[in-house]
Amino acid sequence: MFGAVPISAVTAFAENVPDGTDKYFVLSWDEDNRQVVSTEADIPGDAGEITATTTALSGGVYAVDGEVTVDARITVSGDTSLILKDGCKLTLKEGLEVSAHGSLTIYGQTEETGELITPRVSENYAAIGLSDFAELNIHGGKIEVH
């Protein structure tokens, strides 16, 4: 399954700056100059929150802080970014599914201590499922799937 999944070979990370503003840096390849380019971005103040009752991520940016366990399967649609803040632990007991033509990009922060864990999910599901033409990009964090 992972052979067909476009996973970025370039990493992204975030940095906690002294004033408490969370920043992350997205690294991408500049083909014209044949080098890695770093772009600094703030984690949006209006980033969505994932709670124990979350069942859908509908595009946009979501940031995980602290420990969160979700019992239901999460459906991801649209262009969705998930930032695993340093020290967080997101446990998805039934995993997640990226809908057709949707994309999920997962970022970590500087220390790479944010975790996304999917323990053994129900028999009929993949821990991280991708529908037709869905895309998964992992740029950082600790990802543990079963």
Side-chain angles (χ1 to χ4, degrees):
M1 175 183 126
F2 283 104
V5 177
I7 297 180
S8 174
V10 181
T11 61
F13 59 94
E15 174 180 299
N16 292 320
V17 295
D19 67 359
T21 304
D22 287 334
K23 301 230 182 246
Y24 70 106
F25 297 87
V26 178
L27 303 179
S28 59
W29 180 251
D30 180 343
E31 184 63 37
D32 294 335
N33 295 311
R34 304 194 55 74
Q35 65 183 7
V36 174
V37 177
S38 175
T39 306
E40 182 180 84
D42 293 325
I43 295 175
D46 63 348
E49 181 181 2
I50 297 178
T51 68
T53 60
T54 299
T55 58
L57 304 178
S58 309
V61 178
Y62 297 83
V64 182
D65 203 359
E67 274 196 47
V68 179
T69 299
V70 181
D71 291 331
R73 189 162 179 83
I74 293 181
T75 302
V76 177
S77 61
D79 183 14
T80 304
S81 295
L82 177 63
I83 300 170
L84 301 172
K85 290 186 171 186
D86 283 334
C88 83
K89 182 177 180 181
L90 175 61
T91 303
L92 304 177
K93 289 188 175 181
E94 290 298 324
L96 61 85
E97 178 78 23
V98 183
S99 298
H101 302 283
S103 70
L104 174 63
T105 303
I106 301 171
Y107 298 96
Q109 286 193 301
T110 305
E111 296 175 17
E112 294 289 341
T113 60
E115 299 179 74
L116 182 142
I117 299 169
T118 59
R120 190 167 304 277
V121 298
S122 296
E123 186 175 304
N124 296 324
Y125 293 123
I128 297 178
L130 301 173
S131 297
D132 293 336
F133 305 104
E135 193 175 305
L136 172 66
N137 298 289
I138 300 173
H139 290 239
K142 292 181 179 181
I143 312 298
E144 181 182 326
V145 296
H146 297 270

